[in-house]
Amino acid sequence: MKQKLIALDLDGTTLNADSLISSKTISVLQKVCKAGHIVSIVTGRPYRISKKYYDELQIKTPMINFNGALGHIPYRNWGKEYQDTFSREIAFDLLKNKENLGIKLIAAEAKTMMLADSVNPVTDGFFPTSLSTQQLLNEDNLATDPASITLLVEEDAKEKIISELKKNYGDYIEVGVWGGANPILELAPKGITKEKGVRLLANNYNIDRKNIIAFGDEHNDYEMIDYAGWGVVMKNGTDALKKISNDITEFDNTQDGLANYLEKYLGLAE
């Protein structure tokens, strides 16, 4: 079989409902690598809360974070590393208008930076539960442009906030809505999607588009699934994503759906 590039979303795809990689998934992905295929994480998560999964899988490939805004190889200097950003003035403007808009928390991030204007203990470990003075989001600490801004908002104000964000900053940012129980919005540089990261990976390894297999489950995987030669959506994925997929896993992310699919598709079952 031709060498494949396998692009993996994390939440709802590689991770189970407890945000863990099962032992079965780890075992299968390591077999995939030993068979000569390339496995790479392509996630909306920042590096700070995705590197543990990179380590668990024991891969050495580039990682894509912030939905395509950051491409890098952890623990190494890489000549092709990149990071797309947008103006920090947007963060400052949001801070000034936070209460009027219905925003509860603002976090600004880049590869090695995480600043927030307050703490929140109920969002699955994404937002900080404590902050040092140096981690407070303000004009002094945010000295460089962010790659991502994440907003925890009032549920009943979500649509209004999205409309205001697009009206005020639509020429500079993309606005994404997280799946799950918490009303969270994510701002990314204009034109950035996971497709950019997958293209970079494919070019780096000289992999034809037809030999790219991408797995995802949510709206932020849309461009990646659409671009890949073989786009696979999880059983638990959104209906919109399933409509553009090449295939759908038989099992969901709580039942090792990704591992079972790859084992069968690549002929790795013992």
Side-chain angles (χ1 to χ4, degrees):
M1 179 179 285
K2 277 273 192 179
Q3 185 182 46
K4 305 293 185 183
L5 167 63
I6 300 163
L8 304 177
D9 169 55
L10 285 177
D11 294 279
T13 303
T14 307
L15 307 185
N16 63 22
D18 297 317
S19 294
L20 301 173
I21 307 179
S22 71
S23 57
K24 161 87 171 182
T25 299
I26 292 173
S27 174
V28 168
L29 289 174
Q30 288 178 350
K31 284 197 290 185
V32 169
C33 293
K34 287 178 182 177
H37 304 294
I38 299 154
V39 173
S40 193
I41 293 170
V42 182
T43 179
R45 285 180 176 238
Y47 175 47
R48 66 182 170 87
I49 57 172
S50 53
K51 61 184 176 181
K52 64 180 179 180
Y53 303 118
Y54 184 91
D55 293 341
E56 281 185 58
L57 294 176
Q58 299 179 29
I59 52 179
K60 306 298 181 185
T61 52
M63 175 188 282
I64 307 299
N65 293 105
F66 299 126
N67 290 318
L70 171 65
H72 63 116
I73 301 179
Y75 315 115
R76 280 181 49 192
N77 291 323
W78 185 41
K80 296 179 182 179
E81 179 171 328
Y82 73 89
Q83 183 166 239
D84 292 297
T85 60
F86 53 94
S87 174
R88 65 195 181 116
E89 297 299 327
I90 292 175
F92 302 150
D93 199 40
L94 289 172
L95 283 169
K96 291 173 186 174
N97 294 286
K98 175 182 173 180
E99 291 186 11
N100 290 335
L101 287 171
I103 298 172
K104 297 164 71 174
L105 188 154
I106 304 173
E109 301 207 42
K111 180 183 177 182
T112 58
M113 173 187 75
M114 193 290 298
L115 303 173
D117 72 325
S118 59
V119 298
N120 187 280
V122 295
T123 48
D124 301 324
F126 181 82
F127 292 115
T129 55
S130 64
L131 288 168
S132 68
T133 302
Q134 292 74 28
Q135 291 175 315
L136 284 171
L137 177 58
N138 55 41
E139 294 194 18
D140 291 329
N141 288 338
L142 186 57
T144 58
D145 291 337
S148 173
I149 290 178
T150 313
L151 310 174
L152 179 64
V153 304
E154 300 284 357
E155 179 65 52
D156 57 3
K158 185 168 67 174
E159 294 307 319
K160 174 192 169 186
I161 295 170
I162 292 171
S163 177
E164 288 294 311
L165 291 171
K166 290 181 177 179
K167 181 176 75 174
N168 295 332
Y169 318 116
D171 290 340
Y172 311 103
I173 61 166
E174 303 286 349
V175 182
V177 181
W178 280 22
N182 298 299
I184 297 175
L185 305 179
E186 185 174 44
L187 313 186
K190 188 71 176 178
I192 293 300
T193 70
K194 289 186 177 183
E195 179 189 339
K196 174 177 180 173
V198 173
R199 282 180 183 270
L200 179 141
L201 292 169
N203 290 337
N204 183 68
Y205 290 104
N206 295 314
I207 300 291
D208 289 339
R209 182 176 174 181
K210 65 183 180 181
N211 290 316
I212 300 171
I213 307 172
F215 288 85
D217 73 307
E218 270 284 353
H219 71 278
N220 64 331
D221 300 312
Y222 191 98
E223 291 83 2
M224 174 176 75
I225 294 294
D226 193 44
Y227 173 72
W230 195 253
V232 183
V233 175
M234 302 300 293
K235 181 179 179 181
N236 51 284
T238 65
D239 289 339
L241 206 60
K242 288 176 180 176
K243 286 179 182 177
I244 65 162
S245 69
N246 296 103
D247 207 355
I248 299 168
T249 63
E250 181 180 0
F251 304 103
D252 66 24
N253 67 310
T254 69
Q255 303 168 306
D256 294 320
L258 166 68
N260 283 303
Y261 187 95
L262 271 176
E263 202 169 40
K264 184 176 179 181
Y265 186 86
L266 297 176
L268 299 175
E270 295 177 355

